[in-house]
Amino acid sequence: MNIHEYQAKRLFKDYGIAVPEGNPADTPEHAEQVARELGGDGWVVKAQVHAGGRGKVGGVKLARKHREVFDFSREMLGKRLVTVQTDSFGLPVEKLLIEKIYPIKNEFYLSVLVDRVSGRVMFIASAAGGMDIETVAKESPEQIVSVLVHPAAGLQSYQCRKLAFALQLQGEQIRGLETIMRGMYHLMLAKDASQIEINPLILTDQGQLLALDAKINFDDNAVAAHPDIVDMRDPGQEDEKENKAQQFGLNYITLNGTIGCMVNGAGLAMATMDLVKLKGGAPANFLDVGGGTTPEKVAEAFKLILSDKNVKAVLINIFGGIVQCDIIAQGILAAVKEININVPVVVRLEGTNAEAGRKLLADSGLNLVAETDLALAAEQVVALAEGA
Ligand code: ADP
Ligand code: MG
């Protein structure tokens, strides 16, 4: 789960991480008022969306007059912001963060995440801040330094100093970085965050370190234990299909291919996606309808897949173990009653009650391609998607 920058910065404050002075606003009038209350002679207007890369596409604007705060806010609010980190539809801008402008001497990158290789918490820093860290990693990996935290020992001062030296910090700034890193570490553990990213972390011309940007991801499997974090959820920023799927207890992830996949079991779903790829296609989603499923759940799953405008063909691959194939067939038929299917559908049913399931589908008079061999089914669906 993700939260907005203004929410992340509130958490930062709670954990002793210095952030710019600022407040959120949701109308141009309110934004201007926030700027007046902050005082000073420059304010930044920042679109609050669950994506970075805003600066390059007009989602972060520097204002020198109160009137400009109002004008920029009016331009941004109610629009959708498309950045390198969103899809082509972008995300809606319903809130802004208004902050004082700080004179920047240096921009750094600092993040903490769970490193999957070592299974430990890892801090990553780079003097090449402000830009996309993936590009830095690719083009100048020597500019990236990292430390792994031992779970029993916790974060050590020498590890903070190692990163501070890499960023060429001096004097009090070194201690300042340690305070920020300790704040990030405690926040991560206390709230089950999977990643906290500050890009950029700035050094002001007064020598102060500030988190100018803030991004926090939380572990979806742990978030239920943190009602304060759940309260920060903004469904408007999330994938509508994924939220709907969650309501019905389906495991659904949107991908960017053209072949909708309905499968039971996460392992089989992964294998099915691999097979689609192998045959030259690309899956539009990951979907595991689960073991103890019902016709209603299957119907919802099928409707979700078909609501994706990118889907050109659907592959239903069910191996009936706990789930019964006739239940799946009933679900498909229930969905079809409610909506039109305007793309080809290839169905492979095997296992418990497969015969009964196949018969239900065959007798329905629907234009479905039945296939018993999985490789052939994948080949067919790729061909049909390309033909469509
Ligand atoms: P994004 O990562 O989405 O582009 P950031 O919050 O990192 O958004 O802002 C982009 C850039 O805008 C920063 O790298 C910084 O140069 C500038 N900026 C953002 N906030 C401020 C601020 N309070 N004062 C001065 N410059 C800022
Ligand atoms: Mg940023």
Side-chain angles (χ1 to χ4, degrees):
M1 184 193 140
N2 293 325
I3 58 173
H4 285 294
E5 176 193 8
Y6 79 93
Q7 296 165 321
K9 282 178 168 168
R10 278 185 192 157
L11 284 169
F12 277 12
K13 257 192 184 166
D14 293 345
Y15 284 81
I17 302 165
V19 296
E21 269 187 72
N23 268 313
D26 40 28
T27 63
E29 291 79 11
H30 188 196
E32 185 177 333
Q33 187 198 332
V34 170
R36 286 183 192 279
E37 283 164 7
L38 286 172
D41 57 2
W43 307 272
V44 52
V45 180
K46 308 183 82 173
Q48 296 300 285
V49 291
H50 285 186
R54 296 163 300 169
K56 292 201 182 80
V57 292
V60 176
K61 287 199 163 165
L62 303 185
R64 291 290 169 188
K65 296 195 186 84
H66 292 133
R67 184 69 208 176
E68 281 180 339
V69 173
F70 183 94
D71 290 342
F72 292 153
S73 299
R74 201 168 52 181
E75 274 166 35
M76 286 184 208
L77 284 166
K79 299 250 169 65
R80 293 184 80 90
L81 195 70
V82 180
T83 83
V84 290
Q85 292 183 9
T86 69
D87 62 17
S88 56
F89 301 108
L91 291 169
V93 183
E94 282 157 4
K95 237 185 184 47
L96 304 168
L97 175 61
I98 315 300
E99 286 180 340
K100 278 189 181 173
I101 290 182
Y102 288 79
I104 301 173
K105 196 166 158 219
N106 273 315
E107 292 197 338
F108 308 120
Y109 174 93
L110 180 64
S111 71
V112 61
L113 47 84
V114 180
D115 172 50
R116 294 183 186 203
V117 177
S118 61
R120 288 186 183 180
V121 169
M122 180 192 244
F123 276 88
I124 299 174
S126 175
M131 42 180 177
D132 160 39
I133 196 71
E134 284 80 10
T135 311
V136 180
K138 218 177 185 172
E139 288 168 9
S140 41
E142 73 288 348
Q143 295 224 55
I144 294 180
V145 280
S146 62
V147 291
L148 285 172
V149 182
H150 190 282
L155 181 63
Q156 301 290 304
S157 292
Y158 79 88
Q159 297 183 305
C160 302
R161 284 198 297 276
K162 181 181 167 189
L163 296 195
F165 296 149
L167 302 181
Q168 298 190 324
L169 297 178
Q170 278 151 15
E172 265 312 300
Q173 298 156 9
I174 298 169
R175 213 184 297 271
L177 187 75
E178 176 161 350
T179 304
I180 291 174
M181 288 175 67
R182 289 201 179 279
M184 290 166 84
Y185 188 65
H186 289 140
L187 171 55
M188 176 180 218
L189 298 189
K191 302 292 181 191
D192 287 311
S194 46
Q195 180 170 16
I196 304 175
E197 187 184 66
I198 305 179
N199 189 23
L201 170 74
I202 61 154
L203 188 63
T204 65
D205 57 3
Q206 306 289 315
Q208 193 197 1
L209 285 169
L210 277 181
L212 215 64
D213 196 1
K215 204 161 189 247
I216 309 182
N217 301 317
F218 296 93
D219 183 341
D220 285 331
N221 291 318
V223 83
H226 306 287
D228 55 330
I229 304 298
V230 175
D231 278 348
M232 295 183 195
R233 178 159 238 148
D234 180 355
Q237 298 289 319
E238 294 173 355
D239 186 301
E240 220 175 292
K241 294 193 289 303
E242 288 178 13
N243 276 343
K244 193 117 192 246
Q246 212 171 30
Q247 283 170 24
F248 290 98
L250 300 160
N251 263 319
Y252 175 98
I253 310 282
T254 303
L255 301 170
N256 45 25
T258 58
I259 296 172
C261 300
M262 178 151 87
V263 190
N264 68 314
L268 189 58
M270 297 298 281
T272 305
M273 287 160 49
D274 280 347
L275 204 53
V276 165
K277 277 258 180 195
L278 185 70
K279 301 294 179 187
N285 67 279
F286 167 92
L287 171 66
D288 169 14
V289 291
T293 196
T294 61
E296 291 74 34
K297 265 170 96 169
V298 173
E300 286 307 324
F302 201 43
K303 283 194 270 179
L304 264 178
I305 292 176
L306 294 172
S307 71
D308 182 342
K309 293 188 267 309
N310 294 325
V311 166
K312 300 272 186 286
V314 177
L315 173 59
I316 299 175
N317 180 24
I318 303 295
F319 188 85
I322 299 169
V323 69
Q324 296 165 9
C325 292
D326 53 335
I327 298 229
I328 299 284
Q330 283 170 30
I332 295 169
L333 298 179
V336 169
K337 273 201 196 121
E338 283 181 53
I339 46 163
N340 283 329
I341 315 182
N342 41 19
V343 294
V345 180
V346 177
V347 188
R348 184 248 184 183
L349 294 179
E350 271 307 336
T352 310
N353 297 357
E355 276 307 326
R358 282 191 218 123
K359 186 166 180 331
L360 273 172
L361 293 178
D363 292 349
S364 70
L366 284 174
N367 186 18
L368 304 172
V369 183
E371 200 36 271
T372 45
D373 182 276
L374 181 50
L376 286 177
E379 228 161 78
Q380 288 240 31
V381 78
V382 172
L384 286 167
E386 277 164 9

